[in-house]
Amino acid sequence: MFIMNATKIIQILTNTLRLILQILYYICESVYYHIFGLQEKNVTGEIVLITGAGHGIGKELAIQYACLGAKVVCLDMNKQTNEETAKEIKEKIGKDVYTYQCDVTRREEVFAVAHKVREEVGEVTILINNAGIMPCHTFLDHTADEILKIFNVNVLAHFWILQAYLPSMIEKNYGHIVALSSMAGIVGLPYLVPYSSSKYAVHGLMEALEEELRVTSKRKSLIKFTTIYPYMVDTGLCKKPKINQILNSLLLLSSPKDTAAQIIKAQRQNIKMRTIPLFWLSLVSFGRMFPDNAQNSIKDYIDSGVEPS
């Protein structure tokens, strides 16, 4: 009994030491990359599918990926704006992109379009779930239909798109999935209760799915995940931004062009989580170490977000 217990103790100590060394190694690696930066992957020839490509961030993503040499597939419910994105890319760099009208909330339609994409373009290797909506009201002013629509577009559409395109990535053990969450998916904001809930769900979906693939592949999955948490972007969704005048220079709305550039950089560097602007993730992580009342004081000091529309 003593010998067996001693053996177990040695195993526990050995495994613990190995864990500590692994943690120290990855901390040093992280510090190194933070100081010297990560190399950006080449996306030439990659097949990039972007939902909500007809306007805003999605449109800028399509343009910038095309400029980097990727094959771009644009999905949008609005056929006209989607084709305008393709036309602009054609005029700017002389390159054709593939456009498909698709209501991403309808699973059957998503799968039908996925079949066309597979036949006409090839297997998608970079998937960007960008489409989203953001009604701003007090919680009790949200109608049942509006809440359902928020979750259909902002959450369930991610599931349908993933179910349609993830199998080929798993089969080839290659690919990258990018999801647009929001700072409202890290910090709950007033007048955005359903929206904030949907963006928290995106965070949970990406984290759980990545871990599931890691475990089921016995730590051999090469599929990468990147979740983006923008603060406020000037796309027209944020109709009444509330910006603290004292902190105005730090809290201005980001442009779709700059936001898209940061998303692409994060994807090319295999960064798992990226807030836009960058400082928000560190600020929120640091703030959550304080007592609740202290956190509320910080929120009152920042005093920014959205007003109900």
Side-chain angles (χ1 to χ4, degrees):
M1 180 68 71
F2 175 77
I3 294 174
M4 186 170 64
N5 287 339
T7 302
K8 286 184 177 180
I9 290 171
I10 291 171
Q11 287 178 337
I12 291 170
L13 291 174
T14 301
N15 291 337
T16 302
L17 178 60
R18 183 184 296 115
L19 175 62
I20 292 170
L21 291 174
Q22 286 176 331
I23 291 171
L24 290 173
Y25 170 81
Y26 290 124
I27 289 173
C28 292
E29 181 183 61
S30 178
V31 170
Y32 175 85
Y33 286 137
H34 184 74
I35 294 172
F36 297 103
L38 288 159
Q39 185 176 357
E40 295 182 28
K41 299 184 293 187
N42 185 357
V43 295
T44 301
E46 299 281 1
I47 299 178
V48 183
L49 183 142
I50 303 160
T51 66
H55 68 285
I57 298 171
K59 179 178 180 178
E60 288 295 334
L61 285 169
I63 293 169
Q64 293 181 38
Y65 269 114
C67 289
L68 290 169
K71 281 186 181 180
V72 176
V73 180
C74 296
L75 265 61
D76 202 287
M77 190 173 179
N78 189 319
K79 182 179 180 180
Q80 181 181 342
T81 57
N82 207 28
E83 291 179 350
E84 285 172 1
T85 297
K87 182 181 178 182
E88 185 170 332
I89 292 171
K90 179 71 173 178
E91 292 173 349
K92 183 172 289 191
I93 63 173
K95 185 170 182 177
D96 289 323
V97 302
Y98 301 85
T99 61
Y100 298 88
Q101 185 176 16
C102 183
D103 181 351
V104 291
T105 68
R106 296 170 61 89
R107 188 175 187 272
E108 298 80 6
E109 192 170 325
V110 167
F111 274 75
V113 170
H115 180 71
K116 288 183 182 179
V117 170
R118 199 169 291 113
E119 287 191 333
E120 297 171 6
V121 189
E123 299 290 1
V124 171
T125 56
I126 300 174
L127 174 63
I128 304 181
N129 271 314
N130 163 72
I133 58 173
M134 192 180 76
C136 305
H137 313 304
T138 59
F139 175 63
L140 293 178
D141 284 339
H142 281 283
T143 65
D145 286 343
E146 191 173 52
I147 292 170
L148 286 171
K149 186 175 181 180
I150 290 169
F151 275 83
N152 281 331
V153 176
N154 294 2
V155 184
L156 293 180
H158 287 243
F159 282 84
W160 313 148
I161 292 285
L162 285 166
Q163 287 184 340
Y165 296 97
L166 182 59
S168 65
M169 292 186 182
I170 293 174
E171 182 182 348
K172 298 178 185 302
N173 196 23
Y174 182 83
H176 202 130
I177 296 165
V178 180
L180 271 287
S181 180
S182 166
M183 280 306 301
I186 296 178
V187 178
L189 295 177
Y191 314 122
L192 291 173
V193 175
Y195 175 81
S196 185
S197 303
S198 72
K199 292 303 184 177
Y200 267 89
V202 170
H203 169 88
L205 165 62
M206 291 288 282
E207 188 171 280
L209 181 57
E210 180 181 16
E211 180 62 9
E212 181 175 295
L213 292 187
R214 189 182 77 88
V215 171
T216 55
S217 69
K218 296 181 171 57
R219 286 70 178 168
K220 294 179 181 178
S221 176
L222 298 179
I223 299 170
K224 305 300 181 183
F225 287 76
T226 297
T227 308
I228 304 295
Y229 304 86
Y231 171 58
M232 285 193 288
V233 184
D234 190 12
T235 61
L237 290 180
C238 189
K239 305 204 183 303
K240 291 186 178 180
K242 179 184 179 184
I243 299 175
N244 185 319
Q245 293 306 310
I246 298 174
L247 303 175
N248 184 47
S249 60
L250 294 175
L251 301 174
L252 290 174
L253 274 68
S254 302
S255 71
K257 184 176 181 178
D258 179 63
T259 302
Q262 293 194 54
I263 292 168
I264 293 171
K265 184 175 182 179
Q267 180 271 312
R268 295 181 67 193
Q269 292 181 326
N270 291 332
I271 291 173
K272 185 174 178 179
M273 294 177 64
R274 166 63 55 85
T275 57
I276 301 173
L278 295 176
F279 64 81
W280 276 114
L281 186 59
S282 299
L283 180 63
V284 172
S285 299
F286 178 70
R288 283 193 165 144
M289 294 189 296
F290 292 99
D292 290 342
N293 287 337
Q295 292 184 45
N296 288 336
S297 296
I298 294 171
K299 291 175 186 175
D300 292 341
Y301 171 73
I302 295 174
D303 190 31
S304 294
V306 296
E307 298 285 4
S309 57

